[in-house]
């Protein structure tokens, strides 16, 4: 069965550069979540989209932005990267919001040097 | 302040025995609870869930128990197998348009 696809799997950027992470949800899923997991930390919710509209916002820095496109894929844009942005970024998708299982992608490991 | 707490960072269990992973939550608005399993360098994999209208949900070797009055849930794995060794995350959701809130995870090691 098709799963959530994230690209790229690994990304190395320098400080102050920009990065774009992509997430392709499971077909027919209309909700996308973005999570950030730093070393030794629990996943932290960044932002979510339902039917192409932002549905909730967590601890996403102002330097980051995201959107969900008409085909339901989502992109997380990160600018002015800092060393502390190095983390595993997970995307999850679900059908509907709340009270339903979300399925995660393999994650994108971002390293800022 | 953490809304979902997994107070045991790690747990070691012998193969064939029962593994019990615990999770506490503070937000009484949570009405759906999930367990995810995570292997290194992979995304969390959904394992089992429970709605607040139930107190138990079983799926093969995995059973989740929910005690709403104590705001506590637990995951039982019986019998434990070496392949169960992973980090287990408890997550909770409070209804429509609310994201999952995760605990810090418990690393389970099943020893052969």
């Amino acid at each position: 069965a098709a799963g959530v696809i994230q690209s790229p799997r690994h990304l190395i950027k320098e400080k102050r550069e920009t990065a774009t992470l992509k997430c392709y949800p499971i077909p027919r899923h209309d909700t996308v979540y973005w999570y950030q997991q730093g070393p030794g930390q629990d996943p932290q919710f960044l932002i979510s989209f339902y039917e192409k509209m932002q549905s909730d916002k967590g601890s996403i820095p102002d330097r980051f932005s995201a959107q969900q496109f008409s085909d339901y894929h989502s992109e997380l844009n990160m600018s002015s990267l800092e060393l502390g942005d190095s983390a595993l970024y997970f995307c999850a998708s679900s059908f509907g919001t709340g009270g339903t299982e979300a399925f995660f992608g393999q994650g994108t490991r971002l390293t800022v040097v | 302040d953490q809304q979902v707490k997994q107070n045991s960072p790690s747990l070691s269990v012998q193969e064939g025995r029962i593994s019990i992973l615990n999770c506490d939550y503070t937000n009484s608005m949570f009405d759906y609870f999930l367990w995810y399993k995570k292997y290194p360098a992979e995304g969390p994999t959904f394992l089992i869930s429970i709605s607040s209208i139930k107190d138990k949900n079983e799926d093969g070797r995995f059973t989740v128990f929910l005690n709403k009055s104590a705001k506590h849930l637990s995951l039982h794995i019986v019998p434990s197998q070496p392949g169960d060794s992973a980090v287990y995350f408890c997550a909770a959701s409070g209804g429509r348009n609310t994201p999952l809130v995760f605990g810090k995870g418990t690393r389970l090691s099943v020893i052969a």
Side-chain angles (χ1 to χ4, degrees), chain A residues 5-6 33 37 50 60 66 93:
Chain A
I5 306 222
Q6 289 187 247
Y33 301 89
Q37 186 175 22
Y50 169 62
I60 183 169
S93 75

Side-chain angles (χ1 to χ4, degrees), chain A residues 5-48:
Chain A
I5 306 222
Q6 289 187 247
S7 69
R9 290 293 310 278
H10 302 274
L11 190 58
I12 299 175
K13 290 284 186 178
E14 294 189 355
K15 281 196 309 184
R16 292 180 288 278
E17 282 194 316
T18 296
T20 297
L21 309 185
K22 296 186 180 182
C23 170
Y24 296 87
I26 291 171
R28 293 192 299 280
H29 280 192
D30 51 15
T31 304
V32 167
Y33 301 89
W34 285 98
Y35 288 84
Q36 176 193 59
Q37 186 175 22
Q41 298 178 9
D42 51 320
Q44 293 290 328
F45 170 69
L46 294 179
I47 195 166
S48 63

Side-chain angles (χ1 to χ4, degrees), chain B residues 7-79:
Chain B
N7 293 317
S8 298
S10 62
L11 175 68
S12 286
V13 173
Q14 272 201 312
E15 182 179 6
R17 300 282 181 96
I18 181 172
S19 294
I20 301 177
L21 296 100
N22 294 306
C23 178
D24 297 293
Y25 62 96
T26 57
N27 189 339
S28 56
M29 297 301 291
F30 288 147
D31 61 2
Y32 197 71
F33 305 90
L34 308 91
W35 284 93
Y36 284 84
K37 179 178 176 180
K38 185 179 180 303
Y39 293 115
E42 291 186 12
T45 303
F46 168 74
L47 196 56
I48 193 169
S49 63
I50 189 167
S51 162
S52 61
I53 62 173
K54 292 185 170 183
D55 54 18
K56 177 183 173 181
N57 188 25
E58 227 172 320
D59 183 4
R61 296 185 297 115
F62 303 91
T63 303
V64 56
F65 295 92
L66 175 63
N67 183 335
K68 288 186 289 295
S69 60
K71 293 193 178 68
H72 175 84
L73 65 155
S74 60
L75 174 68
H76 292 212
I77 307 174
V78 184

Side-chain angles (χ1 to χ4, degrees), chain A residues 34-73:
Chain A
W34 285 98
Y35 288 84
Q36 176 193 59
Q37 186 175 22
Q41 298 178 9
D42 51 320
Q44 293 290 328
F45 170 69
L46 294 179
I47 195 166
S48 63
F49 293 88
Y50 169 62
E51 280 293 343
K52 293 156 277 185
M53 299 286 288
Q54 181 182 307
S55 55
D56 208 340
K57 193 170 180 180
S59 52
I60 183 169
D62 292 340
R63 299 177 288 107
F64 294 7
S65 65
Q67 58 181 321
Q68 186 178 31
F69 294 85
S70 57
D71 63 352
Y72 295 101
H73 94 272

Side-chain angles (χ1 to χ4, degrees), chain A residues 9 33 35 37 42-43 45 50 55-56 88 90 97-106, chain B residues 2 32 34 36 38 41-44 46 49 89 93 95-100 102-104:
Chain A
R9 290 293 310 278
Y33 301 89
Y35 288 84
Q37 186 175 22
D42 51 320
F45 170 69
Y50 169 62
S55 55
D56 208 340
L88 205 46
F90 289 109
T97 64
T100 183
E101 295 85 356
F103 295 86
F104 284 81
Q106 300 266 47
Chain B
Q2 274 204 290
Y32 197 71
L34 308 91
Y36 284 84
K38 185 179 180 303
E42 291 186 12
F46 168 74
S49 63
F89 289 98
S93 167
R96 287 192 68 80
N97 293 325
T98 62
L100 295 172
F102 283 86
K104 286 191 176 296

